[in-house]
Amino acid sequence: MQLFERHLEENLFNLHWELKSGSYRHQPYQSFLIFDPKLRKIHKAEVRDRIVHHAVFRILYPLFDPTFVFDSYSCRVGKGTHRAVKRLENYVRTVSENYRKPCYFLKCDIRKFFASVDHSELKELVARRITDANTLKLIYQIIDSFQVNIGKGLPIGNLTSQIFANIYLDGFDKFVKHELKIKHYVRYTDDFILVHKNKKYLEELIPQIETFLTQKIQLNLHPKKVILNKLTRGIDFLGYVVLPYRQVLRTKTKNRMFRKLEEKFTQFKQDQIDRKKLRQTINSYLGVLKHCRSQNLKGQIKKI
C-alpha cells in the first residue's frame, strides 16, 4: 500500500511539473463500444489526462455555469434528467391549463452532435471568459486531443466534453429564449423540446432553428428526429413519456430494465454476484420508477 501511495504521489508531482513547465502533452484515447441503449463509441483518456480534465472542469464550471439559461439540464449541479422531465411536465400543464386546452410540442435532436462540434468555434467561445494564456493553451490542447474530422469532434466520455457541450449550445439556448421568445423550452445535451398551444407556430419555428444551428454553430437537426405533435400522443424524453395527468416509463427503457434484472438474477443464482450487488441493482431501478406511474412495474419486480 505504501509503495502504491509513493508511486501515485510521484506521478502527481510529475504531472504538476509538466503542467507548470508547459511540457504536458495529452495522450491518445482508448476506444470501446457500449450499448446505452444504442451502440456508442466511447473514448477513454488515460488517468493522468482525466486528472487534468477534472482540474480544467473546476476552472470552467464556476465561470460559465451562472451564465447558462435555467432550462439547460445536462451535467449541472441541481439539474439532471429527472428535474428536466419534471420541468417539461410543469410546462405542458401550464400551456394546456391543467390539460383542458390544446397543447403541442416540438422535439428535436441534433445530428451527431459531439462529432460535429467545431474546434475553432468552441475555442472562440472559451476565450471570451478565459484570458490567461497558459490556461487557454491547456484547454485548447484538450479540445485538439480528439477529432472525428479535421477540426471537429469531442470525445463522448470526457468530463470536459460535458461542459464544452453546454458552452457550445449556450448561444442556441439564448437564441430560443431571447430572440424566438419561447417561454417553455427544455434542453438536455443535444435533445430539446419546445411547448406551445399553437401547432402552426411551432412548425414555423423549425426553419429558424435550422438556420441558426447551420449558420452560427455548424450543426444540423437530425431529419428523422424532428417531431411535432400534440401532448396526447406523449412526449418521449430522457427515458420517460410525459402524458396528460401522468408520466410513464418509456417502453424501451422498461424492456431494457427487465432484461438487465434477469441477467443479474441469473448471475446471482450462479454465484457470480452476491446478494448485496443484486440488491443494489434492484434499488437503482426502483429509484428510476419513483419518478413515474409505476405500481404495476414495481409489482413485477417484486414478483421476480
Side-chain angles (χ1 to χ4, degrees):
M1 186 66 180
Q2 289 180 344
L3 180 63
F4 171 79
E5 289 176 351
R6 283 202 303 271
H7 185 63
L8 176 62
E9 184 179 34
E10 182 181 337
N11 285 336
L12 287 173
F13 275 119
N14 287 339
L15 178 58
H16 177 263
W17 181 85
E18 288 180 25
L19 291 168
K20 192 173 181 178
S21 65
S23 62
Y24 167 79
R25 294 295 180 269
H26 199 289
Q27 298 302 303
Y29 292 84
Q30 293 180 352
S31 63
F32 58 94
L33 299 175
I34 65 168
F35 290 88
D36 182 39
K38 63 183 180 181
L39 185 65
R40 293 180 184 273
K41 191 172 187 178
I42 304 298
H43 292 84
K44 182 180 178 182
E46 291 192 5
V47 173
R48 64 194 303 276
D49 295 319
R50 296 206 298 273
I51 292 171
V52 175
H53 296 170
H54 276 267
V56 168
F57 181 87
R58 291 177 65 179
I59 293 171
L60 293 176
Y61 188 87
L63 285 174
F64 282 93
D65 190 76
T67 71
F68 296 152
V69 301
F70 184 86
D71 284 319
S72 165
Y73 281 86
S74 175
C75 300
R76 299 179 66 192
V77 175
K79 302 289 183 175
T81 57
H82 299 308
R83 293 197 179 189
V85 176
K86 186 65 178 178
R87 183 71 160 176
L88 176 60
E89 190 178 29
N90 290 338
Y91 276 160
V92 299
R93 187 184 299 116
T94 298
V95 172
S96 66
E97 298 182 25
N98 286 323
Y99 312 116
R100 293 183 292 108
K101 299 289 181 66
C103 178
Y104 298 88
F105 67 91
L106 173 63
K107 181 176 184 290
C108 301
D109 181 288
I110 296 173
R111 185 175 182 272
K112 295 183 178 179
F113 169 68
F114 282 100
S116 303
V117 170
D118 182 78
H119 289 187
S120 296
E121 178 68 25
L122 177 58
K123 290 175 183 177
E124 183 180 329
L125 293 170
V126 170
R128 291 178 185 177
R129 291 194 171 271
I130 302 292
T131 56
D132 180 76
N134 290 329
T135 304
L136 273 178
K137 181 181 177 181
L138 177 60
I139 294 171
Y140 290 175
Q141 188 179 157
I142 293 173
I143 293 172
D144 290 334
S145 68
F146 176 87
Q147 58 182 8
V148 175
N149 295 307
I150 297 175
K152 289 185 181 291
L154 294 175
I156 298 174
N158 268 16
L159 177 62
T160 48
S161 294
Q162 306 304 322
I163 185 72
F164 287 153
N166 282 335
I167 292 170
Y168 201 79
L169 288 172
D170 181 56
F172 174 69
D173 292 336
K174 287 168 180 168
F175 167 74
V176 173
K177 297 291 288 186
H178 302 153
E179 294 188 39
L180 297 183
K181 300 190 183 302
I182 302 298
K183 292 182 179 179
H184 307 112
Y185 163 80
V186 179
R187 179 179 67 79
Y188 192 95
T189 314
D190 57 343
D191 291 332
F192 59 91
I193 296 176
L194 294 75
V195 182
H196 201 270
K197 62 183 178 181
N198 189 312
K199 182 179 181 181
K200 184 67 175 177
Y201 177 75
L202 289 175
E203 187 176 9
E204 291 172 349
L205 291 179
I206 297 173
Q208 297 180 63
I209 290 171
E210 288 180 314
T211 298
F212 181 93
L213 289 172
T214 303
Q215 296 184 0
K216 297 293 185 179
I217 50 177
Q218 304 179 47
L219 298 175
N220 296 287
L221 293 178
H222 196 301
K224 295 182 179 180
K225 295 183 180 180
V226 176
I227 300 168
L228 176 57
N229 222 322
K230 53 188 177 182
L231 172 62
T232 51
R233 298 295 297 271
I235 309 176
D236 189 332
F237 188 50
L238 302 177
Y240 298 92
V241 179
V242 176
L243 291 155
Y245 301 105
R246 69 194 188 280
Q247 180 179 303
V248 299
L249 201 64
R250 177 195 288 164
T251 300
K252 287 184 179 179
T253 305
K254 179 184 69 176
N255 292 341
R256 187 169 70 254
M257 178 183 72
F258 279 106
R259 185 170 63 252
K260 291 286 186 182
L261 281 172
E262 291 288 357
E263 289 175 3
K264 291 296 182 182
F265 277 114
T266 300
Q267 291 172 4
F268 175 69
K269 291 174 183 176
Q270 296 174 353
D271 294 326
Q272 295 176 10
I273 61 172
D274 59 18
R275 186 176 295 275
K276 181 180 178 181
K277 184 70 174 179
L278 176 62
R279 176 57 61 185
Q280 287 174 344
T281 301
I282 294 171
N283 287 339
S284 68
Y285 285 122
L286 290 175
V288 170
L289 295 176
K290 283 197 307 184
H291 299 276
C292 63
R293 185 173 294 183
S294 57
Q295 286 304 114
N296 290 339
L297 295 179
K298 290 176 183 176
Q300 290 179 51
I301 290 176
K302 290 176 181 177
K303 180 181 285 189
I304 293 174

